[in-house]
């Protein structure tokens, strides 16, 4: 893998990871407001959550396109193997993004 592609992937994953973390925090805040029956702040929070979801989808798509150049199959096992062999820094970020995305999905379903 050339350094430019590696650096682009690392930057994209880093940005996506930060966005997913922020999204999880919003969902946790939403959950707290719902459990406290504090509905007034929910509308602005919902607007922010919607905007973050759009941004997160854009970042996810950008990462997918970069990974597609590397691994046309886009199979999780193949991507992990490639990252282990050629870009170990990306592997931990990619795993964290996947874990956080699962957490966000679970929180969103509960809320």
């Amino acid at each position: 893998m050339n350094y430019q592609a590696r650096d682009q992937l690392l930057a994209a994953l880093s940005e996506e990871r930060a966005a997913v973390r922020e999204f999880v925090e919003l969902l946790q805040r939403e959950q707290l407001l719902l459990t406290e029956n504090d509905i007034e702040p929910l509308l602005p929070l919902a607007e922010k959550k919607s905007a973050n979801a759009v941004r997160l989808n854009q970042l996810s798509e950008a990462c997918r396109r970069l990974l597609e150049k590397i691994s046309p199959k886009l199979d999780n096992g193949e991507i992990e193997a490639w990252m282990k062999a050629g870009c170990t820094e990306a592997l931990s970020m990619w795993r964290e993004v996947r874990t956080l995305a699962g957490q966000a999905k679970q929180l969103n379903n509960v809320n």
Side-chain angles (χ1 to χ4, degrees):
M1 169 183 231
N2 69 46
Y3 288 111
Q4 183 180 10
R6 182 185 69 87
D7 291 346
Q8 287 175 340
L9 179 60
L10 288 171
L13 283 169
S14 180
E15 194 172 357
E16 184 178 14
R17 179 178 58 184
V20 177
R21 282 179 179 164
E22 185 178 340
F23 194 65
V24 167
E25 289 172 10
L26 284 173
L27 290 168
Q28 289 169 335
R29 174 81 175 127
E30 179 183 51
Q31 188 174 60
L32 180 65
L33 292 170
L34 289 168
T35 58
E36 293 176 347
N37 205 24
D38 187 3
I39 59 171
E40 191 173 318
L42 285 175
L43 182 59
L45 184 73
E47 291 170 357
K48 188 171 185 178
K49 188 174 93 169
S50 180
N52 282 26
V54 169
R55 181 173 181 269
L56 190 53
N57 282 334
Q58 292 168 341
L59 293 170
S60 180
E61 180 63 22
C63 278
R64 187 194 65 75
R65 283 192 307 270
L66 286 169
L67 288 168
E68 200 171 57
K69 291 178 184 177
I70 297 159
S71 175
K73 286 169 115 180
L74 281 181
D75 172 81
N76 287 343
E78 187 176 313
I79 290 169
E80 277 205 32
W82 175 84
M83 286 182 181
K84 282 180 187 176
C87 194
T88 55
E89 304 115 302
L91 182 58
S92 64
M93 279 193 277
W94 186 70
R95 286 178 175 165
E96 186 178 355
V97 166
R98 291 180 64 215
T99 299
L100 288 166
Q103 185 181 0
K105 182 178 179 178
Q106 183 180 18
L107 283 166
N108 200 41
N109 288 338
V110 169
N111 292 353

